[in-house]
Amino acid sequence: MNEISFDGQVVVITGAGGGLGRTYAMEIARRGGKVVVNDLGGSIRGTDGSPTMADQVVAEITSAGGQAVANYDTVATKEGGGKIVQAALDTFGRIDVLINNAGNIRNDWVVNVREEDFQSQIATHLLGSFYTTQAALPHMAKQKYGRIVFTTSAAGMLGNRGQMSYGAAKGGVTALMNVVSLEAERHGILCNAVQPNAMNRFGPEMEKVMDDEAATRFGTVIPPLGETMAAEFTTPLMVYLASNACRSTHSIYSSLGGRFARVFIGITEGWEGSKNAPSTAEDIAAHIDEIRDETRGFIIPSDLINEFELVLSRRAEN
Ligand code: NAI
């Protein structure tokens, strides 16, 4: 296996001033990539801002012999997203890779969620990933090469109490990836999403809204995972997906404690109702176990139309 290199490539990483993003920036720069280290440099809630975080990561990269430039714009506005991509073009003349990693967190129980907090989660994660992606795509399409990696979360993909707004924004990010990947593939641009798990400043924030049951379960699983919950244990997955070695597109990958896995949306074989007349609600009640049963197999459609194709091909078989 050839060593993965980013020589000659320009990589934009949002929210790279700390946590996971910093580790991506360090590793990609070590492998020859020229990195735009974007970070608002604010609180975990996404308030305030300072150049310090991005500057520190740029200093770390350059003192290790790599190339990087800092950018302090917010991903949460169209103007900010555009300026982040422009920083790559102005400084290094191109953009090959975009890693949408920036994120804030505002947890609360559904009944207590404030609209401004929900809007902040959507603006940062969902619109933030859209603004940078829309700005980067034409440049990647022109050069017929690009890699875009989105950051989703188990809170959105699987659910987690106390994280409705965050989870909804992250679920939206997955949907963004599902559509952008289909539109971008014809231009040589591959898009995937990472579902990371790392015990950095997000961990304590989650614990604040946990009920006793969740806190007990969380307290049971985190200590045994130990050092494997460090951000560095997710870095190789992100680096692979961002590289020219990556062949995957339109996919979601989970990284947890040194285990890497594909996350997918599957549809059960289901139950075939009458084709002569619509089934009744009672028919559904009678067959709900069969409808839900994944042990008889499932399909993983590659897009919307593919589900129709797969259902029709099953019908032809029977
Ligand atoms: P982090 O808080 O250390 O890093 C996020 C970075 O984004 C911060 O440096 C922050 O200053 C920056 N940021 C926030 N709002 C910004 C904005 N509007 N514009 C530009 N930068 C902004 O957190 P962590 O854990 O490294 O998270 C990285 C990504 O991974 C986030 O998208 C997060 O939602 C996601 N994630 C993290 C998980 C974890 O277990 N740590 C789990 C699932 C997803």
Side-chain angles (χ1 to χ4, degrees):
M1 168 60 69
N2 291 337
E3 199 168 302
I4 289 176
S5 167
F6 288 84
D7 274 348
Q9 293 202 348
V10 176
V11 181
V12 171
I13 309 174
T14 67
L20 289 155
R22 176 186 155 276
T23 70
Y24 307 153
M26 298 289 295
E27 183 60 12
I28 287 173
R30 191 185 71 74
R31 290 171 181 269
K34 295 170 190 156
V35 181
V36 175
V37 177
N38 158 264
D39 206 291
L40 187 63
S43 74
I44 192 162
R45 289 176 61 78
T47 53
D48 311 321
S50 128
T52 318
M53 289 175 76
D55 284 347
Q56 267 172 6
V57 175
V58 169
E60 274 187 271
I61 289 172
T62 48
S63 68
Q67 292 186 69
V69 67
N71 170 280
Y72 321 113
D73 287 299
T74 179
V75 295
T77 65
K78 187 173 169 63
E79 189 196 0
K83 282 176 156 178
I84 294 166
V85 170
Q86 197 57 44
L89 303 173
D90 291 347
T91 314
F92 300 122
R94 57 187 290 127
I95 175 169
D96 300 282
V97 181
L98 169 64
I99 297 180
N100 286 311
N101 165 79
N104 63 339
I105 199 153
R106 298 192 180 187
N107 292 332
D108 219 329
W109 290 79
V110 177
V111 288
N112 299 328
V113 166
R114 296 185 311 170
E115 192 184 345
E116 68 191 77
D117 291 334
F118 201 154
Q119 278 175 348
S120 166
Q121 298 277 247
I122 298 290
T124 309
H125 295 275
L126 184 52
L127 290 172
S129 300
F130 158 64
Y131 294 138
T132 50
T133 300
Q134 195 180 50
L137 266 173
H139 303 283
M140 293 180 176
K142 213 163 151 194
Q143 69 202 10
K144 294 254 166 271
Y145 180 89
R147 298 283 182 268
I148 304 177
V149 194
F150 295 86
T151 308
T152 185
S153 165
M157 300 302 295
L158 309 178
N160 193 34
R161 288 173 211 154
Q163 294 201 289
M164 182 195 68
S165 322
Y166 175 78
K170 287 304 205 185
V173 169
T174 303
L176 212 67
M177 183 281 292
N178 278 335
V179 174
V180 174
S181 59
L182 293 175
E183 292 188 17
E185 195 174 7
R186 71 193 65 177
H187 302 296
I189 303 163
L190 305 185
C191 306
N192 295 281
V194 168
Q195 183 178 304
N197 287 278
M199 276 310 276
N200 43 17
R201 66 183 196 169
F202 269 49
E205 207 56 32
M206 268 169 61
E207 287 171 55
K208 279 186 202 163
V209 288
M210 280 179 183
D211 57 17
D212 289 348
E213 190 237 337
T216 306
R217 288 171 62 204
F218 200 58
T220 312
V221 294
I222 294 299
L225 288 166
E227 279 306 300
T228 62
M229 288 302 288
E232 284 76 5
F233 277 76
T234 290
T235 318
L237 174 62
M238 181 59 82
V239 171
Y240 165 75
L241 293 173
S243 76
N244 59 16
C246 172
R247 295 287 169 268
S248 162
T249 195
H250 195 186
S251 300
I252 309 155
Y253 296 94
S254 163
S255 159
L256 198 165
R259 188 259 15 225
F260 304 99
R262 179 176 166 212
V263 180
F264 54 83
I265 296 176
I267 303 181
T268 59
E269 285 293 331
W271 168 72
E272 289 283 346
S274 164
K275 307 297 178 285
N276 302 321
S279 300
T280 63
E282 287 74 15
D283 290 332
I284 303 298
H287 293 281
I288 192 66
D289 290 343
E290 216 177 320
I291 289 168
R292 290 174 51 83
D293 184 11
E294 77 282 4
T295 63
R296 289 185 301 120
F298 50 83
I299 55 171
I300 308 173
S302 55
D303 65 9
L304 179 150
I305 298 169
N306 191 221
E307 185 188 2
F308 289 77
E309 293 166 342
L310 292 168
V311 167
L312 279 174
S313 71
R314 289 289 193 282
R315 205 186 271 189
E317 282 165 18
N318 295 324

